[in-house]
Amino acid sequence: MAFELASVLMKMGIVSTSDHASVVSINIFASLLCACIVIGHLLEESRWMNESITALAIGLVTGVVILLVSRGKSSHILVFSEDLFFIYLLPPIIFNAGFQVKKKQFFRNFMTIMLFGAIGTLISSSIISFCAMKLFRKLDIPHLDIGDYLAIGSIFSATDSVCTLQVLNQDETPLLYSLVFGEGVVNDATAVVLFNAIHSFDLSNIDSTIGLKLIGNFFYLFITSTLLGVLAGLLSAYIIKTLYFARHSTDREVALMMLMAYLSYVLAELFKLSAILTVFFCGIVMSHYTWHNVTESSRVTTKHTFATLSFIAEIFIFLYVGMDALDIEKWSFVSNSPGKSAKVSLILLGLVMIGRAAFVFPLSFLSNLAKKSPNDKIDFKQQITIWWAGLMRGAVSMALAYNQFTSLGHTELHGNAIMITSTISVVLFSNVVFGLLTKPLIRWLLPPNSKQTISMSSEPPSPKSFLFPLLNGQDAEAADRNHPSRLRMLLRAPHHTVHYYWRKFDDAVMRPMFGGRGFAPFVPGSPTEQSVQPW
């Protein structure tokens, strides 16, 4: 990671060495992060603003100031690196998403989430790629081949629903929150898996089997990445359960959980799998097993540590995107054709909206057909909210675009420069304009006293709610009393049937081996020991 402000500061006499310039740059960026947190907190109740838009705005203002100080030579403190994003910033965000997810709601709507996040992303990517190929060739965009157009589809199918999730209340609208949150994570993972699958094939010689190979490679990456995350989570649970029998250390427990989570991520990168999927499911498994094997102090520490790291990484990303939007080097490549760059940005923005609508409404219709309870169905206002939540583009799109169209952070070809500047324009416009309208739109569509807010009973947040089961015990107990046949149970209520047999397997096999809810760590002299009653 380089620091471009070094030469400017040295010329101004502020510092004498590049090392000092690096320290100054880090201090400035840390100060900006603090400003984003403070200002975002003050604007938390604002009708329009949220922390993402606040960080973007501060980044833009900072970029303007740096431009003036450097006399138009630079607009940011740090040079963007895909490695910085994918290796250091993205893991805590995705892991915390899996660690804090309400598992009951997530798995209750798992099929719908996978329908939107996986199938929907493939539909959106296909539409964006095909339409971009037809329209960009008419605009005579140079240096773009079939691989670039397929990559464009995966880049702009990666959503960023942070703005919407900051407005939705998971206790008031658990169904909608679960769908938007789950689809957002699976969508990002699917987009990255699709992007990597495209890069793994030689698309210069396309034949009739390339499509089948691409789909097969996609499902291979999807399944193996998920299994790796599950195995890493189970391994961490087993190690902590056996290693710290009758003796616990909060420092070691927290460190081991953090390192095992990060190890799952880098292992997936090493084996060229989807690290996003891996670390997400690792977080889910850790919250279900590992988190319950540690002491109460370790539970509180890990919960807030993972949330804090995720929070800082999100602000870091949006702050940098705001600064990088004014990078002179990128815009200088398209200065001779600003109209063409604007047209490309408008086309991409329109394709994002069309591609999103092409799967949200049809797949919602299909999902509703499979649900018997009216409370479980997605009504039209909720469908609009889901469609709107996925219109924003963020850091994943930026990172994939840099990976595809730049080399070491710098554009080399005119067509690549147009795609980079257009990506920046779409990210800024979608986050600022769509983000500003998110709160008013959702309050209009889903007023606090509407039926949507009470359509499903809320549950305590996970993993804090370790006294509550992963699955609905009442449904399982009722099924157990009636003793219907397995086939009849599966046809009548497939969701409850799967949960029923999963609970039996979990209680009989998984928890005795890996711990989990109900496992009380024994620490001499601790409240845990005092709570143990004599036989």
Side-chain angles (χ1 to χ4, degrees), residues 146-183:
I146 182 66
D148 291 325
Y149 288 115
L150 292 176
I152 289 172
S154 61
I155 290 169
F156 288 96
S157 62
T159 65
D160 191 338
S161 54
V162 173
C163 291
T164 307
L165 289 175
Q166 288 177 350
V167 178
L168 291 176
N169 189 311
Q170 59 181 332
D171 293 320
E172 293 179 352
T173 56
L175 170 62
L176 189 58
Y177 188 94
S178 175
L179 292 177
V180 172
F181 170 81
E183 188 250 340

Side-chain angles (χ1 to χ4, degrees), residues 196-509:
N196 293 335
I198 292 171
H199 275 255
S200 64
F201 283 94
D202 181 15
L203 299 175
S204 58
N205 298 317
I206 299 180
D207 53 29
S208 58
T209 62
I210 191 69
L212 294 176
K213 291 180 179 178
L214 189 62
I215 295 174
N217 190 43
F218 167 79
F219 282 106
Y220 164 76
L221 291 175
F222 205 95
I223 294 173
T224 52
S225 301
T226 302
L227 290 177
L228 178 60
V230 171
L231 290 176
L234 292 177
L235 180 61
S236 68
Y238 184 78
I239 290 176
I240 289 181
K241 181 176 180 294
T242 56
L243 185 62
Y244 292 118
F245 179 76
R247 185 172 63 89
H248 286 257
S249 169
T250 297
D251 296 338
R252 293 188 181 94
E253 289 172 345
V254 174
L256 191 59
M257 289 183 68
M258 294 179 65
L259 291 175
M260 287 294 293
Y262 190 70
L263 180 62
S264 71
Y265 187 90
V266 294
L267 277 176
E269 288 287 340
L270 178 65
F271 296 131
K272 301 186 182 302
L273 303 176
S274 172
I276 294 179
L277 264 182
T278 297
V279 78
F280 176 71
F281 279 96
C282 179
I284 291 179
V285 174
M286 276 193 175
S287 69
H288 185 55
Y289 295 109
T290 314
W291 192 76
H292 297 279
N293 294 345
V294 299
T295 59
E296 183 64 26
S297 59
S298 297
R299 297 178 190 179
V300 175
T301 303
T302 53
K303 180 178 181 293
H304 291 289
T305 299
F306 295 142
T308 302
L309 292 175
S310 173
F311 178 70
I312 294 175
E314 286 182 2
I315 297 178
F316 186 104
I317 291 169
F318 281 104
L319 179 63
Y320 186 84
V321 169
M323 286 190 292
D324 199 54
L326 300 176
D327 187 16
I328 293 298
E329 182 180 354
K330 299 180 182 65
W331 291 103
S332 62
F333 278 90
V334 298
S335 59
N336 58 344
S337 56
K340 183 179 294 187
S341 179
K343 290 179 181 178
V344 171
S345 301
L346 291 175
I347 289 173
L348 289 173
L349 198 60
L351 292 179
V352 165
M353 301 176 73
I354 295 172
R356 181 81 183 163
F359 76 83
V360 168
F361 299 105
L363 294 184
S364 297
F365 175 76
L366 294 177
S367 176
N368 289 339
L369 290 179
K371 296 179 179 179
K372 296 181 179 180
S373 174
N375 291 335
D376 290 339
K377 293 186 177 182
I378 311 170
D379 62 35
F380 185 68
K381 289 184 177 180
Q382 291 175 328
Q383 294 176 28
I384 294 178
T385 304
I386 294 172
W387 171 74
W388 184 269
L391 293 181
M392 275 73 82
R393 294 297 177 266
V396 175
S397 295
M398 288 285 295
L400 294 180
Y402 274 81
N403 185 280
Q404 180 70 24
F405 298 110
T406 67
S407 176
L408 300 178
H410 303 288
T411 51
E412 294 181 342
L413 302 174
H414 182 66
N416 292 356
I418 290 179
M419 292 311 306
I420 290 295
T421 54
S422 298
T423 303
I424 293 173
S425 301
V426 170
V427 169
L428 282 178
F429 183 88
S430 63
N431 275 277
V432 175
V433 178
F434 294 159
L436 287 174
L437 297 175
T438 296
K439 281 187 179 181
L441 177 67
I442 292 181
R443 288 178 179 176
W444 175 65
L445 290 174
L446 305 169
N449 295 325
S450 65
K451 290 190 298 182
Q452 288 93 337
T453 61
I454 57 175
S455 61
M456 297 180 65
S457 61
S458 62
E459 65 172 305
S462 175
K464 183 179 178 181
S465 57
F466 59 91
L467 296 178
F468 290 78
L470 170 64
L471 309 169
N472 192 336
Q474 295 179 352
D475 299 325
E477 292 172 2
D480 193 24
R481 288 194 302 267
N482 296 331
H483 292 288
S485 66
R486 296 181 181 180
L487 180 60
R488 185 179 301 174
M489 286 177 61
L490 186 62
L491 294 177
R492 181 187 302 172
H495 166 75
H496 298 320
T497 305
V498 172
H499 279 190
Y500 169 72
Y501 285 108
W502 161 250
R503 284 203 65 182
K504 292 186 66 175
F505 176 75
D506 194 29
D507 292 336
V509 178

